[in-house]
Amino acid sequence: MPTEIKENYLKALFHLGQKCEKISVSDLGKELGVSKPTASDMAKKLDAKGWVHYQKYKPLRLSDEGKKQAASIIRKHRLSEMFLSQIMGFGWEAVHEMAEELEHIKSETFFDRMDELLGFPTTDPHGSPIPDKQGCFKDSNYSLLSATSKGEEVTIKALINSSSEFIVFLNNKKIKLGTVLKVLSKEPFDQSILVSYNGKKITLSQSVCNRLLVE
Amino acid sequence: MPTEIKENYLKALFHLGQKCEKISVSDLGKELGVSKPTASDMAKKLDAKGWVHYQKYKPLRLSDEGKKQAASIIRKHRLSEMFLSQIMGFGWEAVHEMAEELEHIKSETFFDRMDELLGFPTTDPHGSPIPDKQGCFKDSNYSLLSATSKGEEVTIKALINSSSEFIVFLNNKKIKLGTVLKVLSKEPFDQSILVSYNGKKITLSQSVCNRLLVE
DNA sequence: TCACAAAGTTAGACATATCTAACAAATAAA
DNA sequence: TTTATTTGTTAGATATGTCTAACTTTGTGA
Ligand SMILES: [Mn+2]
Ligand SMILES: [Mn+2]
Ligand SMILES: [Mn+2]
Ligand SMILES: [Mn+2]
C-alpha cells in the first residue's frame, strides 16, 4: 500500500496522463510543488514498487497496477467530496480541499458506507466521474465550452478545474452544473464568448471557457 | 502544528497521564509500540517544540500547550466516533479504529460541522467526555464497577477501554451504556462479580469490571 | 551540424522517525 | 551497602522524502 505522499504522486500522474499522453518529470514536479530531482527520485521509487514504468530520460507512464491505485484514491476523493456536499452540507467550492485529506483514509468500510449513504453516486459535485471499485471510469464525452460555436445551446456538465477560486467565480455569476447557456458570439481576438442564461447576458473569458465541460 | 506521529505521542502522553501521575519513557514506548530510545528521542523533540517538559531520567510531563494540543486531538477523535456512530450508522465497536485516522484531519471546519450536525455532543459513543474547543474536559465522577459493593444498583456510564474485542464481548452479553446492573455478590478469590440485569444473571471477571465505569 | 537552452540525473546534504547494541543511572534486593 | 535488575540514554545505522548545486542528455534553432 502506498504512503500518503506516494498516493499524491500516483494521483498527479493519473491526472497529468489525462491531459497529455507524455508525462514529463518537470510537470510532475510542478503539479506537486517539488523540485525536479525529487520528482525524478520518486518516479524511480514508484517504478521499484511496480506502479510506474520508469526509463531514464523517457516520459513517465503509470503501470496498470499504478492506474488501479490512482483510481482507488480518486474514488475516495470524489466520494468524499460528494459526502461533504450532500451529507454534511458543505458548498461545492469547499469540498475539494477537505477531500485532499480524506482521500488518504485507509479504512475501506468508511468509503463503502459513504457510497451506500449517497446511493452509489456516479459523479462528484463538480461533475467528474467516480470510478467503480475495480478502477473503471465511465467516460462521458462532454466538450469544452471553448469548442462550441455561435448559436449552440449547451448545458454545463462538469468542471475541468475544481479550485475554490474558480468555483467562487461561478457562484458569483450564478453558474452551476445544469445551467443552460446560449452561445451568442465568439470574440476572435481573445476567444472570449458572449453567453446568455437565466435572462442574463455576460462574457466569459477563454480561461473560463477552457474550464467548463458542456453537452 | 504537530505531525500526525507527534499527535499520536501527545495523545498517548495525555492518556498515560490520566492513569498515573508519573509517565515513564517505557510506558510511552509500550503504548505506541516503539522502542525506548525512540520514545526517549521523541520526548526530547516534543520538549523542543514546547509540548513536553523533559529532564533526563525524570518522568515525562506534558506542558500546558501540550495538553491543549492533546485535547484538540482527543476532541477530533471523539467527535469522529460520534459522527461515525450517529450519522454514518457504524456500531460502537467499529468507530474507534476509524477515528484513529480521522483525528488527524487538519481542517477545523470539518470537525465544526460534525459538532453542529451532532448537536454539540458532550460524550462519545463509549461515554468518554468530548473536550470543548478550549481543551477543557468536564470530568464526571463515575466509579469502577470493580469498586462497588454487594447490593448496589448501578448504571453503566462509560468504558475505560474501547477496543473492539471488549465491545464485542459487551455486545454478546447485551450490555450497553445505560444498562442497570444489580451487584448480587463479589467473589473474594478472583474479584469477579455476580450481577443481574434485564432478567439475566451472569458473572463478570475482574478484568471486565475494571473496564466499566458506573454511577 | 553545432551550439545552446530545456529537461533530466547525480551527488551530497538535511529533517523526521525508526531500530539495535552498548552503556549509564536509578531503584530494588540481598 | 554492595549487587543486581530495571529503566533510560548514547551511538550508529536505516528508510523516507525533500533540497540545491553541478553535471549530462535531449532536442531545437541558427
Ligand atoms: Mn476534487
Ligand atoms: Mn491528498
Ligand atoms: Mn476511541
Ligand atoms: Mn491516530
Side-chain angles (χ1 to χ4, degrees):
Chain A
M1 196 159 300
T3 64
E4 178 163 338
I5 285 167
K6 289 195 172 69
E7 286 184 344
N8 285 334
Y9 277 89
L10 290 170
K11 194 158 59 93
L13 284 165
F14 189 95
H15 286 138
L16 290 169
Q18 306 245 269
K19 279 215 279 277
C20 159
E21 201 47 51
K22 297 200 181 302
I23 309 167
S24 71
V25 167
S26 299
D27 287 347
L28 180 59
K30 251 173 247 162
E31 181 81 4
L32 290 160
V34 298
S35 68
K36 280 184 289 176
T38 300
S40 185
D41 273 11
M42 184 57 83
K44 283 177 216 164
K45 288 179 194 162
L46 294 173
D47 177 279
K49 295 276 186 184
W51 297 321
V52 161
H53 296 300
Y54 173 84
Q55 287 174 275
K56 268 194 187 185
Y57 302 107
K58 294 274 162 62
L60 304 173
R61 280 171 40 238
L62 274 177
S63 69
D64 286 348
E65 184 53 33
K67 276 179 201 152
K68 225 158 59 178
Q69 293 287 344
S72 154
I73 302 152
I74 291 169
R75 176 177 163 79
K76 289 173 174 185
H77 179 99
R78 295 186 176 163
L79 279 173
S80 296
E81 289 188 334
M82 209 56 180
F83 184 84
L84 289 164
S85 142
Q86 302 299 115
I87 311 283
M88 296 189 73
F90 286 103
W92 71 329
E93 74 289 342
V95 300
H96 176 81
E97 204 175 7
M98 282 184 248
E100 273 310 317
E101 293 195 70
L102 284 168
E103 69 192 0
H104 304 292
I105 299 282
K106 300 296 175 206
S107 167
E108 292 292 323
T109 43
F110 179 61
F111 294 100
D112 288 345
R113 192 44 148 290
M114 273 188 182
D115 200 16
E116 200 182 324
L117 284 170
L118 290 164
F120 310 103
T122 57
T123 61
D124 78 11
H126 313 112
S128 303
I130 298 175
D132 64 27
K133 290 193 85 175
Q134 282 67 53
C136 296
F137 286 80
K138 191 160 86 253
D139 45 21
S140 44
N141 56 334
Y142 302 136
S143 32
L144 282 175
L145 178 56
S146 47
T148 57
S149 3
K150 181 175 169 177
E152 280 191 70
E153 199 170 76
V154 296
T155 307
I156 298 192
K157 288 294 192 175
L159 313 185
I160 293 282
N161 175 294
S162 316
S163 71
S164 70
E165 298 76 42
F166 178 49
I167 303 181
V168 165
F169 165 85
L170 296 178
N171 284 345
N172 288 336
K173 300 284 185 245
K174 303 271 182 287
I175 295 173
K176 52 187 179 186
L177 296 191
T179 298
V180 177
L181 304 180
K182 174 137 197 175
V183 180
L184 301 177
S185 69
K186 204 161 182 173
E187 169 59 49
F189 173 62
D190 63 1
Q191 311 296 315
S192 65
I193 294 184
L194 179 65
V195 297
S196 72
Y197 63 99
N198 299 343
K200 270 194 287 288
K201 194 187 281 192
I202 66 168
T203 300
L204 298 174
S205 71
Q206 190 191 19
S207 134
V208 168
C209 298
N210 274 329
R211 287 178 164 83
L212 289 173
L213 284 169
V214 301
E215 184 170 53
Chain B
M1 196 159 299
T3 64
E4 178 163 337
I5 284 167
K6 288 195 174 68
E7 287 185 343
N8 285 334
Y9 277 89
L10 290 169
K11 194 158 60 94
L13 285 165
F14 190 94
H15 286 137
L16 290 169
Q18 307 244 268
K19 280 214 279 277
C20 157
E21 201 47 50
K22 297 199 181 304
I23 309 169
S24 71
V25 168
S26 299
D27 287 348
L28 180 60
K30 252 172 249 164
E31 182 82 4
L32 290 161
V34 297
S35 68
K36 280 184 290 175
T38 300
S40 185
D41 272 9
M42 184 56 83
K44 282 177 218 164
K45 288 178 195 161
L46 294 173
D47 176 280
K49 295 277 185 183
W51 297 321
V52 160
H53 297 300
Y54 174 84
Q55 288 174 275
K56 267 195 188 182
Y57 301 107
K58 293 275 161 62
L60 304 173
R61 280 171 39 241
L62 276 177
S63 70
D64 285 349
E65 185 52 32
K67 276 179 202 152
K68 224 155 62 177
Q69 293 286 345
S72 153
I73 302 152
I74 291 169
R75 177 177 162 79
K76 289 173 174 183
H77 179 100
R78 295 185 177 165
L79 278 173
S80 296
E81 291 189 330
M82 209 57 180
F83 184 84
L84 290 165
S85 141
Q86 302 300 114
I87 310 285
M88 296 190 74
F90 286 103
W92 70 328
E93 74 288 344
V95 298
H96 177 80
E97 205 175 5
M98 282 183 248
E100 272 310 317
E101 294 195 68
L102 286 167
E103 69 191 359
H104 304 292
I105 300 280
K106 301 295 174 207
S107 166
E108 292 291 323
T109 43
F110 179 60
F111 294 99
D112 288 347
R113 194 40 156 287
M114 274 189 183
D115 200 16
E116 200 180 325
L117 285 170
L118 290 164
F120 310 102
T122 57
T123 61
D124 77 12
H126 314 111
S128 304
I130 298 174
D132 64 28
K133 289 193 87 173
Q134 281 67 53
C136 295
F137 287 79
K138 192 160 89 254
D139 45 21
S140 44
N141 55 335
Y142 301 136
S143 31
L144 284 173
L145 177 57
S146 48
T148 57
S149 3
K150 181 175 166 175
E152 281 191 71
E153 200 169 75
V154 295
T155 306
I156 298 190
K157 287 295 191 176
L159 313 185
I160 293 282
N161 174 292
S162 317
S163 71
S164 70
E165 298 77 40
F166 178 50
I167 303 180
V168 165
F169 165 86
L170 297 178
N171 285 346
N172 287 337
K173 300 283 185 245
K174 304 268 182 291
I175 295 173
K176 51 189 179 186
L177 297 190
T179 298
V180 177
L181 304 178
K182 174 138 197 177
V183 180
L184 300 177
S185 69
K186 203 163 182 173
E187 170 58 48
F189 172 63
D190 63 1
Q191 310 297 316
S192 66
I193 293 183
L194 179 67
V195 297
S196 71
Y197 63 98
N198 300 343
K200 270 196 287 288
K201 193 188 281 191
I202 65 167
T203 300
L204 298 174
S205 71
Q206 190 190 19
S207 133
V208 168
C209 297
N210 274 329
R211 288 177 164 82
L212 290 172
L213 284 169
V214 300
E215 185 170 50

